[in-house]
Amino acid sequence: MSEHKLQVPEAVIFDMDGTLFETDTLLVPVHHRVFETLREEGLYEHETPPVERLLSCLGMLLEDIWRQVMPGSSEAARQRADVLLLQYEMEGLIRGEGRLYPYVEETLRELKDRGVKLFVASNGLEDYVKGVARHRGIAELFDGLYSAGEYATASKVDLVARLLKDHGVKSAWMVGDRSSDVEAGKGNGLQTIGCAYATYGRAAELDGADVLIADFRELARLLDQQ
């Protein structure tokens, strides 16, 4: 945990993928199913792209993800991929696939017990974000689950701004693993915490974060230092 003095927050806002949810534990089999189906339906003719390409795009808006994962693909293929991705993710979650990072649930409960409001702000689809929280038993801990899919925001800066306005939050920590999370925090005047335990992005993406943590439990310790 890097040293930096933080102010006591009224709320903590979390990214979902790579922050709370260890996405590859769900996404690897889903990725292969999506491209098998696209080929069967005649919408994609190439070999399945490396799943690492998809994982490296987590945090982007879906339309941007598919342009990176399958460049040159048709609009029809990208739209169908959206549908299949959500369908197969939800089926996997219902089957019990995909896990939270270590100590996420316990730490969230501790933060809530200490009077901190908890939120999620994700660039993912609404059903996916809410589905992960519900099927992994943490939905009731949050005061709001915000997604680009639900609010049609063009950036995470806009999504977090909407969240802060809706709930009248004046001070918060933004916690995430990608540059978009740091930008969302800084763009709204929040202090930012980078999750260095995630492996989906490049370490440089967290440049500018006020604090880096290597273990989710460090969030509670940061509160103790205030």
Side-chain angles (χ1 to χ4, degrees):
M1 181 167 59
S2 60
E3 294 299 323
H4 195 286
K5 189 65 175 175
L6 298 177
Q7 297 174 342
V8 177
E10 174 187 350
V12 180
I13 304 168
F14 297 93
D15 175 44
M16 178 63 83
D17 291 319
T19 300
L20 301 177
F21 189 58
E22 197 169 353
T23 315
D24 57 321
T25 59
L26 173 68
L27 200 56
V28 170
V30 165
H31 174 80
H32 291 286
R33 287 187 69 195
V34 166
F35 282 94
E36 286 173 7
T37 303
L38 289 176
R39 281 193 294 268
E40 289 169 1
E41 296 179 354
L43 291 169
Y44 190 78
E45 299 177 350
H46 309 288
E47 291 185 4
T48 299
V51 69
E52 291 76 17
R53 190 182 301 172
L54 178 59
L55 291 170
S56 71
C57 293
L58 293 177
M60 297 181 183
L61 297 172
L62 260 184
E63 60 188 69
D64 297 324
I65 288 177
W66 293 126
R67 294 181 191 281
Q68 293 284 335
V69 172
M70 46 179 181
S73 57
S74 67
E75 182 68 23
R78 293 191 294 273
Q79 289 182 358
R80 182 62 174 147
D82 282 350
V83 173
L84 293 171
L85 182 70
L86 180 60
Q87 177 186 333
Y88 294 158
E89 284 175 333
M90 296 307 293
E91 289 174 0
L93 287 170
I94 291 169
R95 287 195 299 267
E97 297 171 5
R99 62 177 179 260
L100 301 173
Y101 280 101
Y103 311 112
V104 163
E105 182 176 353
E106 304 94 306
T107 303
L108 290 177
R109 291 188 184 280
E110 180 177 351
L111 295 177
K112 188 173 181 66
D113 287 345
R114 294 171 69 168
V116 179
K117 295 179 180 178
L118 305 178
F119 297 91
V120 166
S122 167
N123 275 337
L125 294 171
E126 177 184 3
D127 288 346
Y128 169 74
V129 172
K130 292 180 177 177
V132 170
R134 183 174 67 253
H135 290 291
R136 293 300 157 264
I138 58 174
E140 79 279 1
L141 300 177
F142 294 100
D143 291 84
L145 297 166
Y146 279 64
S147 62
E150 180 173 4
Y151 292 99
T153 44
S155 72
K156 190 168 280 192
V157 175
D158 295 339
L159 184 65
V160 171
R162 170 72 181 264
L163 184 163
L164 296 171
K165 182 178 179 181
D166 285 353
H167 293 270
V169 173
K170 303 301 182 186
S171 67
W173 294 348
M174 180 71 215
V175 181
D177 69 308
R178 306 304 297 261
S179 58
S180 58
D181 300 309
V182 178
E183 291 163 3
K186 296 299 183 184
N188 285 286
L190 308 180
Q191 294 187 302
T192 56
I193 299 175
C195 299
Y197 52 78
T199 58
Y200 306 138
R202 300 179 304 276
E205 289 201 44
L206 295 176
D207 288 349
D210 294 306
V211 171
L212 296 180
I213 60 172
D215 183 305
F216 200 79
R217 290 173 291 184
E218 293 175 22
L219 287 171
R221 298 172 197 156
L222 283 170
L223 276 184
D224 291 335
Q225 293 176 8
Q226 308 315 308

